Amino acid sequence: RRCDVLNRGFSGYNTRWAKLLLPRLIAAGAGAESTAAVTLFFGANDSALEELNPKQHVPLEEYAANLKSMVHYLSSVGITEDRVILITPPPLQEAAWEKACLAKGERLNRHNATTGEYAQACVQVARACGTDVLDLWTLMQKRQDFSSYLSDGLHLSAEGSRFVAAQLWARLEEKLSALPWLVPYWRDVDHTDPEATLL
Protein backbone atom coordinates (compact mmCIF):
# COMPACT_ATOMS: atom_id res chain seq x y z
CA ARG A 1 0.00 0.00 0.00
CA ARG A 2 3.01 2.33 -0.06
CA CYS A 3 4.01 2.10 -3.74
CA ASP A 4 3.46 0.47 -7.10
CA VAL A 5 5.79 -2.33 -8.18
CA LEU A 6 6.81 -2.45 -11.83
CA ASN A 7 8.45 -5.66 -13.00
CA ARG A 8 10.50 -5.68 -16.17
CA GLY A 9 11.77 -9.20 -16.82
CA PHE A 10 13.57 -10.10 -20.04
CA SER A 11 14.13 -13.83 -20.29
CA GLY A 12 17.52 -14.70 -21.74
CA TYR A 13 18.83 -11.13 -21.82
CA ASN A 14 22.31 -10.05 -20.77
CA THR A 15 23.72 -6.70 -19.62
CA ARG A 16 24.81 -5.76 -23.15
CA TRP A 17 21.19 -5.77 -24.30
CA ALA A 18 19.72 -4.44 -21.05
CA LYS A 19 22.04 -1.41 -21.11
CA LEU A 20 20.58 -0.48 -24.49
CA LEU A 21 16.97 -0.95 -23.30
CA LEU A 22 17.24 0.86 -19.97
CA PRO A 23 16.63 4.41 -21.31
CA ARG A 24 13.43 3.16 -22.95
CA LEU A 25 12.26 1.58 -19.68
CA ILE A 26 13.19 4.46 -17.38
CA ALA A 27 13.22 7.69 -19.32
CA ALA A 28 14.45 11.06 -18.11
CA GLY A 29 11.63 12.98 -16.45
CA ALA A 30 9.66 9.80 -15.76
CA GLY A 31 9.15 10.49 -12.06
CA ALA A 32 12.59 9.63 -10.71
CA GLU A 33 11.90 11.63 -7.55
CA SER A 34 9.09 9.24 -6.66
CA THR A 35 11.09 6.08 -7.41
CA ALA A 36 11.87 4.32 -4.13
CA ALA A 37 14.22 1.66 -5.53
CA VAL A 38 15.45 0.01 -8.72
CA THR A 39 16.90 -3.50 -8.82
CA LEU A 40 19.27 -4.74 -11.53
CA PHE A 41 19.48 -8.55 -11.65
CA PHE A 42 21.88 -9.81 -14.32
CA GLY A 43 24.78 -12.20 -14.75
CA ALA A 44 23.41 -15.70 -15.25
CA ASN A 45 23.29 -15.20 -19.03
CA ASP A 46 26.40 -13.01 -19.26
CA SER A 47 28.40 -15.80 -17.58
CA ALA A 48 27.46 -18.43 -20.19
CA LEU A 49 30.57 -20.00 -21.69
CA GLU A 50 31.58 -18.12 -24.83
CA GLU A 51 32.54 -21.19 -26.84
CA LEU A 52 29.20 -22.91 -26.16
CA ASN A 53 26.84 -19.96 -25.91
CA PRO A 54 28.32 -16.95 -27.74
CA LYS A 55 24.93 -15.27 -28.18
CA GLN A 56 24.35 -14.67 -24.47
CA HIS A 57 27.95 -14.54 -23.26
CA VAL A 58 29.37 -11.17 -22.23
CA PRO A 59 33.04 -10.98 -21.15
CA LEU A 60 33.53 -10.37 -17.43
CA GLU A 61 35.07 -6.90 -17.84
CA GLU A 62 32.25 -5.78 -20.14
CA TYR A 63 29.66 -7.19 -17.72
CA ALA A 64 31.09 -5.01 -14.93
CA ALA A 65 31.27 -1.99 -17.24
CA ASN A 66 27.66 -2.53 -18.34
CA LEU A 67 26.45 -2.64 -14.73
CA LYS A 68 28.36 0.58 -13.97
CA SER A 69 26.89 2.18 -17.08
CA MET A 70 23.35 1.29 -15.97
CA VAL A 71 23.94 2.67 -12.47
CA HIS A 72 25.37 5.89 -13.96
CA TYR A 73 22.42 6.18 -16.34
CA LEU A 74 19.96 5.84 -13.46
CA SER A 75 21.86 8.52 -11.57
CA SER A 76 21.73 10.80 -14.63
CA VAL A 77 17.92 10.64 -14.63
CA GLY A 78 17.68 11.33 -10.89
CA ILE A 79 17.66 7.84 -9.36
CA THR A 80 20.54 8.10 -6.93
CA GLU A 81 22.88 5.23 -6.10
CA ASP A 82 21.37 4.77 -2.64
CA ARG A 83 18.12 3.71 -4.35
CA VAL A 84 19.75 1.10 -6.60
CA ILE A 85 20.16 -2.56 -5.60
CA LEU A 86 22.36 -4.81 -7.71
CA ILE A 87 21.56 -8.53 -7.52
CA THR A 88 24.20 -11.11 -8.36
CA PRO A 89 23.34 -14.20 -10.36
CA PRO A 90 22.38 -17.16 -8.19
CA PRO A 91 24.68 -20.17 -8.05
CA LEU A 92 24.48 -22.81 -10.76
CA GLN A 93 23.71 -26.41 -9.85
CA GLU A 94 25.74 -27.94 -12.66
CA ALA A 95 24.43 -31.52 -12.59
CA ALA A 96 20.80 -30.41 -12.94
CA TRP A 97 21.61 -27.78 -15.59
CA GLU A 98 23.68 -30.28 -17.57
CA LYS A 99 20.69 -32.62 -17.60
CA ALA A 100 18.49 -29.77 -18.91
CA CYS A 101 21.08 -28.95 -21.58
CA LEU A 102 21.41 -32.59 -22.70
CA ALA A 103 17.61 -32.83 -22.99
CA LYS A 104 17.85 -30.02 -25.59
CA GLY A 105 20.72 -31.73 -27.40
CA GLU A 106 23.29 -29.27 -25.99
CA ARG A 107 26.36 -29.49 -23.77
CA LEU A 108 26.72 -27.91 -20.34
CA ASN A 109 27.13 -24.22 -21.22
CA ARG A 110 27.78 -22.70 -17.80
CA HIS A 111 29.93 -23.42 -14.74
CA ASN A 112 29.23 -22.39 -11.16
CA ALA A 113 32.80 -21.17 -10.66
CA THR A 114 32.45 -18.85 -13.67
CA THR A 115 29.10 -17.60 -12.42
CA GLY A 116 30.85 -16.88 -9.11
CA GLU A 117 33.34 -14.63 -10.90
CA TYR A 118 30.46 -12.62 -12.32
CA ALA A 119 28.80 -12.49 -8.91
CA GLN A 120 32.02 -11.14 -7.39
CA ALA A 121 32.28 -8.55 -10.17
CA CYS A 122 28.72 -7.45 -9.39
CA VAL A 123 29.62 -7.04 -5.70
CA GLN A 124 32.69 -5.00 -6.65
CA VAL A 125 30.65 -2.75 -8.95
CA ALA A 126 28.17 -2.14 -6.13
CA ARG A 127 31.02 -1.13 -3.80
CA ALA A 128 32.59 1.13 -6.43
CA CYS A 129 29.29 2.80 -7.32
CA GLY A 130 27.89 3.07 -3.80
CA THR A 131 24.81 0.91 -4.39
CA ASP A 132 23.37 -1.83 -2.23
CA VAL A 133 23.94 -5.41 -3.37
CA LEU A 134 22.17 -8.72 -2.82
CA ASP A 135 24.78 -11.45 -3.27
CA LEU A 136 22.58 -14.44 -4.09
CA TRP A 137 25.52 -16.52 -5.29
CA THR A 138 27.06 -16.47 -1.82
CA LEU A 139 23.89 -16.47 0.28
CA MET A 140 22.26 -19.43 -1.45
CA GLN A 141 25.41 -21.54 -1.13
CA LYS A 142 25.39 -21.13 2.66
CA ARG A 143 23.02 -24.09 2.42
CA GLN A 144 25.13 -27.11 1.50
CA ASP A 145 22.49 -28.40 -0.90
CA PHE A 146 21.07 -25.31 -2.59
CA SER A 147 19.46 -27.26 -5.46
CA SER A 148 15.93 -26.71 -4.11
CA TYR A 149 16.36 -22.99 -4.87
CA LEU A 150 16.61 -23.82 -8.59
CA SER A 151 14.02 -25.48 -10.82
CA ASP A 152 16.50 -26.82 -13.38
CA GLY A 153 19.90 -25.94 -11.97
CA LEU A 154 19.80 -22.39 -13.40
CA HIS A 155 16.36 -20.79 -13.02
CA LEU A 156 14.77 -20.03 -9.66
CA SER A 157 12.22 -22.46 -8.25
CA ALA A 158 9.27 -21.33 -6.14
CA GLU A 159 11.44 -21.82 -3.04
CA GLY A 160 14.26 -19.85 -4.66
CA SER A 161 11.88 -17.03 -5.52
CA ARG A 162 10.68 -16.92 -1.92
CA PHE A 163 14.31 -16.80 -0.76
CA VAL A 164 15.07 -13.90 -3.10
CA ALA A 165 11.90 -12.07 -2.01
CA ALA A 166 12.80 -12.42 1.67
CA GLN A 167 16.39 -11.26 1.12
CA LEU A 168 15.29 -8.38 -1.09
CA TRP A 169 12.56 -7.29 1.30
CA ALA A 170 15.16 -6.86 4.06
CA ARG A 171 16.85 -4.25 1.82
CA LEU A 172 13.66 -2.64 0.49
CA GLU A 173 11.90 -2.30 3.83
CA GLU A 174 14.31 0.39 4.98
CA LYS A 175 13.85 2.36 1.74
CA LEU A 176 10.05 2.06 1.89
CA SER A 177 9.44 2.60 5.59
CA ALA A 178 9.48 6.39 5.29
CA LEU A 179 6.91 6.43 2.48
CA PRO A 180 3.34 7.42 3.34
CA TRP A 181 0.48 4.96 2.99
CA LEU A 182 -1.33 5.44 -0.33
CA VAL A 183 -4.35 3.50 0.90
CA PRO A 184 -5.31 2.57 4.47
CA TYR A 185 -4.75 -0.70 6.31
CA TRP A 186 -7.74 -2.99 5.79
CA ARG A 187 -8.87 -2.73 9.43
CA ASP A 188 -9.12 1.05 8.99
CA VAL A 189 -11.58 0.81 6.10
CA ASP A 190 -15.16 1.64 7.11
CA HIS A 191 -16.91 -1.51 5.90
CA THR A 192 -20.32 0.17 6.10
CA ASP A 193 -19.19 3.03 3.87
CA PRO A 194 -15.92 2.08 2.09
CA GLU A 195 -16.19 5.03 -0.27
CA ALA A 196 -15.76 7.41 2.66
CA THR A 197 -12.40 5.79 3.49
CA LEU A 198 -11.05 4.90 0.05
CA LEU A 199 -12.15 7.76 -2.20
Side-chain angles (χ1 to χ4, degrees), residues 184-199:
Y185 182 57
W186 73 271
R187 290 187 187 276
D188 297 329
V189 175
D190 180 351
H191 71 282
T192 62
D193 186 14
E195 291 84 357
T197 311
L198 300 173
L199 300 179

Side-chain angles (χ1 to χ4, degrees), residues 15 40-48 58-61 63-64 67 86-92 111-127 131-141:
T15 56
L40 298 173
F41 186 6
F42 291 97
N45 296 317
D46 299 71
S47 65
V58 172
L60 184 61
E61 297 75 20
Y63 166 75
L67 287 177
L86 299 184
I87 305 175
T88 75
L92 179 76
H111 292 300
N112 191 40
T114 305
T115 303
E117 293 173 8
Y118 283 72
Q120 186 55 41
C122 181
V123 170
Q124 290 169 355
V125 168
R127 284 191 193 127
T131 72
D132 198 351
V133 64
L134 173 52
D135 184 359
L136 290 181
W137 191 84
T138 300
L139 288 170
M140 285 185 165
Q141 289 185 96

Side-chain angles (χ1 to χ4, degrees), residues 89-104:
L92 179 76
Q93 210 292 319
E94 290 185 24
W97 183 241
E98 184 172 30
K99 185 177 178 183
C101 289
L102 290 172
K104 295 184 285 187

Side-chain angles (χ1 to χ4, degrees), residues 40-156:
L40 298 173
F41 186 6
F42 291 97
N45 296 317
D46 299 71
S47 65
L49 302 176
E50 183 176 16
E51 62 276 16
L52 295 174
N53 189 346
K55 185 166 185 169
Q56 290 179 305
H57 171 79
V58 172
L60 184 61
E61 297 75 20
E62 183 188 345
Y63 166 75
N66 290 341
L67 287 177
K68 284 180 186 173
S69 176
M70 287 190 274
V71 171
H72 291 148
Y73 172 77
L74 291 171
S75 181
S76 78
V77 298
I79 299 172
T80 53
E81 292 83 356
D82 61 315
R83 291 184 281 161
V84 177
I85 303 170
L86 299 184
I87 305 175
T88 75
L92 179 76
Q93 210 292 319
E94 290 185 24
W97 183 241
E98 184 172 30
K99 185 177 178 183
C101 289
L102 290 172
K104 295 184 285 187
E106 300 171 2
R107 291 169 47 204
L108 178 66
N109 58 19
R110 289 165 170 80
H111 292 300
N112 191 40
T114 305
T115 303
E117 293 173 8
Y118 283 72
Q120 186 55 41
C122 181
V123 170
Q124 290 169 355
V125 168
R127 284 191 193 127
C129 292
T131 72
D132 198 351
V133 64
L134 173 52
D135 184 359
L136 290 181
W137 191 84
T138 300
L139 288 170
M140 285 185 165
Q141 289 185 96
K142 286 186 176 179
R143 179 193 280 185
Q144 190 170 6
D145 179 11
F146 59 87
S147 61
S148 63
Y149 290 140
L150 306 165
S151 63
D152 57 5
L154 174 66
H155 301 96
L156 295 173

